[in-house]
């Protein structure tokens, strides 16, 4: 079912990417508006620097990065074609030589990112970070020049926050624990540097001539950047949903999001963060409200917002609305794996041949897009289990386990492996994976406990078997098979209390399933020990007649 914990965890993926999207989306929107004006011819270049770099009067009507010349008196710029971006080393030298403001460095980096050049994006921002970390005596001339500009600290804060958001996204995708920790340490250093900048800005106080409109605008802009910094920090608290202090981190993040929300209730990353936290706290109506506000503030929000809404609708049992939201997400992004998985599960839950075929096809599409997605791998493993292709179950489930740090996901992967070995009568391996699954499982995921209980019975360890089945019965108190097994186990106990429990369980079993001969025989045997006057003969008579 979609209510399984594994789908709750999807929101960790959503929140880690949204902050960076927001910073880049403003550039994308501006670029689209500029593209609409391409019919206006650019001014004729006055000189040519290289095959792809020209000097011209400022013009923002076509796909270029424009770098103002420091010595120009006529607003001349160097144009870099976005369709043929230069090597990063060449760009960095150019930006340094022309004493370009940090805002232009960030714009250039985001342009590389939008063009799929992530390494170049990172290298540009890392160059700024490395240069600004040097002691005052070691600072390069362009940094010394930039540091005197009024927007220097706020632009540097934006660069540090953007780089931190990028590393957060990378850490979320990283499977190697050491590399993941290394990325998280980088994020912590970047946000600490950002904290220092905001503290220095507060110590300096508001802009001089605060009565002027320009100074007021600058103070408002500074405040916006500082709020964005808090949003980034809040998202960082939610990077690892498996951390031991997750509840505490969730509350801390919520406090920061709430602070930003109270200052700017239209801040979309904040709304997404509040939605994610509400969802994890099982406040699905509240989460849905925040997602809807995102759409009202920006109808061009990415597919993940619709995906989040779909999960909320599903939790609220509004299945048709959930389906429409997932379909809309897939229409906005045909590679939205989360939407594919959700729709596939909804199809599989119909349990008719045509719907099952549709669900499996959707999972196959998702697998072709992302062969490391643990949810896709686990669901495909489940499908092949019922197809009796156990070798493929082993491959998919093991791959899923290796490609996630999430404990709930790992619990399901281990369970798939355990039951595959179980049906193949490899009981030692089955025991190992069932047990491993119980160590990762959420409290409500009791299937591995049922399998582990069976393995304990096979080993003759009835005491531990009873513990496992008691765990199952706690969540499914009317489960017929579990009551029957516990009744049989407790019937063999010397403890009168447990024998009494055996009698109660077996009575419930025979009442629910009066044709179960085994249950009637065991009930009669246990009643024989309680009833010395022969009234225990009633179960035998009911069985015979």
């Amino acid at each position: 079912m979609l209510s399984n914990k594994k789908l709750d965890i999807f929101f960790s993926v959503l929140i880690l990417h949204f902050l960076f999207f927001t910073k880049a989306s403003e550039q994308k929107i501006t670029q689209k508006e500029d593209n609409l004006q391409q019919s206006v011819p650019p001014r004729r270049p006055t000189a040519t620097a290289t095959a792809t770099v020209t000097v011209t009067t400022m013009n923002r009507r076509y796909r270029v990065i424009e770098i103002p010349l420091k010595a120009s008196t006529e607003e001349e710029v160097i144009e870099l074609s976005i369709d043929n971006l230069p090597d990063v080393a060449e760009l960095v030298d150019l930006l340094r030589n022309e004493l370009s403001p940090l805002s232009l460095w960030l714009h250039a980096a985001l342009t590389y990112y939008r063009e799929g050049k992530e390494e170049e994006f990172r290298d540009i921002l890392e160059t700024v970070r490395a240069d600004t970390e040097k002691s005052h005596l070691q600072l390069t001339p362009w940094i010394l020049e930039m540091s005197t500009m009024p927007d220097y600290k706020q632009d540097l804060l934006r660069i540090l926050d953007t780089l931190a958001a990028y590393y957060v996204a990378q850490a979320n995708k990283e499977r190697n624990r050491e590399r993941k920790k290394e990325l998280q340490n980088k994020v912590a250093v970047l946000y600490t540097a950002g904290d220092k900048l905001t503290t220095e800005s507060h110590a300096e106080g508001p802009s001089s001539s605060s009565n002027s409109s320009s100074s007021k605008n600058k103070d408002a802009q500074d405040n916006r950047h500082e709020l964005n910094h808090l949003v980034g920090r809040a998202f960082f608290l939610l990077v690892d949903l498996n951390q031991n202090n997750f509840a505490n981190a969730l509350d801390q993040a919520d406090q920061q999001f709430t602070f930003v929300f109270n200052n700017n209730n239209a801040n979309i990353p904040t709304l997404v963060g509040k939605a994610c936290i509400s969802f994890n706290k099982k406040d699905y109506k509240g989460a849905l409200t925040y997602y809807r506000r995102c759409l009202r503030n920006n109808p061009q929000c990415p597919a993940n917002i619709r995906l989040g809404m779909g999960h909320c609708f599903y939790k609220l049992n509004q299945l048709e609305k959930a389906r429409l939201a997932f379909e809309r997400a897939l229409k906005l992004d045909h590679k939205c794996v989360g939407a594919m998985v959700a729709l596939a599960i909804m199809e599989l839950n119909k349990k008719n041949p045509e719907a099952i075929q549709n669900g499996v096809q959707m999972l196959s599409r998702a697998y072709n897009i992302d062969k490391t997605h643990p949810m896709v791998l686990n669901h495909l493993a489940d499908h092949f289990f019922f197809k009796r292709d156990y070798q493929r179950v082993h491959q998919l489930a093991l791959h899923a386990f290796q490609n996630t740090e999430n404990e709930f996901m790992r619990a399901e992967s281990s369970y798939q492996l355990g039951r595959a070995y179980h049906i193949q009568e490899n009981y030692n391996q089955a025991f190992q994976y069932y047990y491993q699954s119980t160590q990762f499982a959420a409290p409500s995921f009791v299937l591995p406990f049922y399998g582990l209980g069976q393995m304990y019975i096979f080993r003759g360890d009835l005491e531990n078997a009873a513990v496992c089945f008691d765990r199952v019965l706690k969540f499914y108190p009317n489960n017929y098979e579990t009551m029957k097994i516990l009744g049989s186990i407790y019937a063999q106990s010397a403890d009168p209390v447990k024998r009494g429990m055996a009698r109660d369980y077996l009575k419930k079993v025979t009442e629910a399933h009066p044709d179960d001969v085994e249950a009637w025989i065991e009930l009669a045997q246990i009643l024989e020990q309680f009833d010395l006057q022969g009234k225990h003969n009633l179960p035998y008579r009911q069985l015979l007649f």
Side-chain angles (χ1 to χ4, degrees):
M1 292 178 62
L2 258 172
S3 58
N4 191 290
K5 278 284 186 181
K6 60 179 175 283
L7 289 183
D8 295 8
I9 305 307
F10 168 78
F11 289 86
S12 66
V13 179
L14 170 63
I15 62 179
L16 294 174
H17 293 79
F18 195 83
L19 184 61
F20 189 80
F21 162 84
T22 305
K23 292 176 179 177
S25 64
E26 295 177 357
Q27 301 286 350
K28 289 184 178 179
I29 293 169
T30 302
Q31 181 179 311
K32 289 179 180 177
E33 292 174 347
D34 289 348
N35 289 343
L36 294 176
Q37 303 176 44
Q38 284 188 6
S39 56
V40 180
R43 294 193 183 182
R44 193 174 191 178
T46 57
T48 300
T50 69
T52 58
V53 182
T54 60
V55 180
T56 184
T57 303
M58 281 194 180
N59 189 319
R60 298 188 181 276
R61 300 187 186 279
Y62 55 108
R63 283 171 51 86
V64 293
I65 300 174
E66 296 179 334
I67 302 176
L69 296 174
K70 66 179 180 182
S72 173
T73 58
E74 300 180 2
E75 293 188 322
E76 289 183 320
V77 300
I78 294 177
E79 288 185 351
L80 306 179
S81 170
I82 292 176
D83 295 321
N84 193 6
L85 291 167
D87 180 75
V88 167
E90 181 183 346
L91 175 70
V92 167
D93 287 342
L94 186 59
L95 291 171
R96 280 173 171 164
N97 292 337
E98 300 303 329
L99 302 180
S100 299
L102 295 185
S103 58
L104 185 53
W105 284 73
L106 178 59
H107 171 68
L110 290 173
T111 300
Y112 276 81
Y113 183 88
R114 292 196 305 272
E115 296 301 308
K117 301 177 180 292
E118 290 193 23
E119 289 187 11
E120 290 83 349
F121 154 84
R122 180 200 62 209
D123 291 345
I124 293 169
L125 298 187
E126 279 288 2
T127 298
V128 177
R129 184 196 61 78
D131 283 356
T132 55
E133 280 185 350
K134 296 175 182 177
S135 66
H136 187 74
L137 294 176
Q138 295 176 314
L139 290 178
T140 55
W142 78 272
I143 285 291
L144 286 171
E145 179 75 20
M146 291 301 101
S147 63
T148 62
M149 293 187 174
D151 293 333
Y152 169 76
K153 287 185 178 179
Q154 292 307 322
D155 288 340
L156 180 56
L157 179 63
R158 289 173 62 206
I159 285 175
L160 296 177
D161 286 347
T162 302
L163 189 56
Y166 170 74
Y167 283 137
V168 166
Q170 294 302 303
N172 179 62
K173 293 187 291 186
E174 183 58 53
R175 306 306 177 199
N176 182 282
R177 288 192 177 187
E178 291 184 4
R179 175 59 180 158
K180 189 183 191 81
K181 187 65 178 176
E182 180 184 335
L183 290 167
Q184 290 174 344
N185 289 339
K186 284 186 176 182
V187 175
V189 170
L190 289 164
Y191 279 130
T192 300
D195 292 342
K196 183 179 178 181
L197 285 173
T198 58
T199 301
E200 291 174 355
S201 296
H202 290 158
E204 293 170 0
S207 304
S208 58
S209 304
S210 57
N211 292 329
S212 68
S213 60
S214 61
S215 295
K216 289 180 179 179
N217 289 338
K218 183 184 182 304
D219 290 338
Q221 187 179 44
D222 291 350
N223 182 59
R224 185 174 70 251
H225 293 324
E226 291 176 11
L227 291 178
N228 287 337
H229 174 70
L230 286 178
V231 172
R233 260 207 171 283
F235 276 112
F236 181 44
L237 288 170
L238 302 178
V239 170
D240 187 2
L241 286 181
N242 294 324
Q243 56 190 315
N244 295 327
N245 63 338
F246 171 65
N248 183 45
L250 203 67
D251 290 337
Q252 288 184 45
D254 196 19
Q255 290 173 10
Q256 294 190 30
F257 284 130
T258 299
F259 178 83
V260 177
F261 180 80
N262 291 337
N263 282 271
N264 179 8
N265 59 16
N267 184 293
I268 289 179
T270 301
L271 293 172
V272 175
K274 294 287 288 182
C276 294
I277 289 174
S278 296
F279 189 94
N280 276 278
K281 290 184 175 181
K282 303 188 186 306
D283 178 12
Y284 306 122
K285 288 185 178 179
L288 190 57
T289 298
Y290 287 120
Y291 282 126
R292 282 171 167 161
R293 292 189 71 158
C294 287
L295 287 179
R296 283 199 298 270
N297 288 324
N298 183 4
Q300 305 302 319
C301 279
N304 280 343
I305 299 300
R306 302 284 186 176
L307 181 57
M309 293 176 69
H311 286 293
C312 292
F313 283 129
Y314 197 96
K315 291 289 190 179
L316 294 169
N317 203 33
Q318 299 179 29
L319 303 187
E320 187 54 33
K321 287 185 177 180
R323 179 180 296 279
L324 290 173
F326 293 139
E327 288 175 349
R328 177 59 177 160
L330 204 53
K331 185 175 181 180
L332 291 171
D333 178 6
H334 69 281
K335 291 186 176 181
C336 183
V337 171
M340 290 181 195
V341 173
L343 287 169
I345 294 172
M346 294 184 77
E347 288 294 295
L348 293 172
N349 283 344
K350 291 179 180 178
K351 298 183 191 247
N352 64 66
E354 183 180 354
I356 290 174
Q357 184 179 4
N358 291 338
V360 173
Q361 288 177 350
M362 213 165 281
L363 287 173
S364 298
R365 282 177 56 199
Y367 177 77
N368 289 331
I369 293 170
D370 185 356
K371 291 180 171 58
T372 65
H373 197 291
M375 283 176 59
V376 174
L377 295 168
N378 278 334
H379 281 295
L380 285 174
D382 183 74
H383 167 70
F384 284 110
F385 176 83
F386 291 105
K387 298 286 285 186
R388 300 183 180 181
D389 188 345
Y390 305 122
Q391 185 59 37
R392 193 165 294 186
V393 173
H394 296 161
Q395 293 171 350
L396 291 166
L398 191 59
H399 197 194
F401 185 91
Q402 294 170 343
N403 278 279
T404 182
E405 291 282 321
N406 183 275
E407 291 188 352
F408 301 148
M409 297 278 193
R410 286 189 157 191
E412 182 162 348
S413 302
S414 300
Y415 169 70
Q416 296 290 351
L417 287 163
R419 69 173 182 170
Y421 281 117
H422 186 168
I423 204 167
Q424 292 176 293
E425 299 183 356
N426 187 338
Y427 298 128
N428 287 333
Q429 286 280 55
F431 179 89
Q432 175 187 331
Y433 283 110
Y434 280 142
Y435 182 82
Q436 181 172 271
S437 181
T438 63
Q439 302 308 295
F440 293 129
S444 59
F445 186 41
V446 295
L447 289 175
F449 286 94
Y450 192 92
L452 184 60
Q454 291 175 301
M455 294 301 100
Y456 276 124
I457 290 175
F458 176 77
R459 293 183 170 199
D461 187 348
L462 298 184
E463 185 176 348
N464 278 319
V467 171
C468 291
F469 289 112
D470 273 330
R471 181 74 174 265
V472 176
L473 203 62
K474 179 180 178 181
F475 284 89
Y476 298 96
N478 298 316
N479 183 266
Y480 154 72
E481 292 178 339
T482 305
M483 284 193 291
K484 182 177 177 180
I485 293 171
L486 276 173
S488 180
I489 291 174
Y490 287 149
Q492 301 176 53
S493 173
D495 185 345
V497 175
K498 290 184 177 179
R499 295 179 73 80
M501 294 171 65
R503 176 192 58 196
D504 295 339
Y505 287 144
L506 290 170
K507 278 185 177 180
K508 289 183 180 180
V509 170
T510 55
E511 288 170 2
H513 297 268
D515 295 331
D516 191 328
V517 176
E518 289 181 353
W520 278 111
I521 292 174
E522 288 197 273
L523 176 59
Q525 289 173 341
I526 196 73
L527 286 176
E528 185 176 13
Q529 300 169 36
F530 279 93
D531 188 353
L532 300 179
Q533 284 76 40
K535 294 179 181 178
H536 59 271
N537 291 328
L538 176 61
Y540 284 119
R541 288 195 291 271
Q542 287 181 285
L543 176 62
L544 293 173
F545 300 103

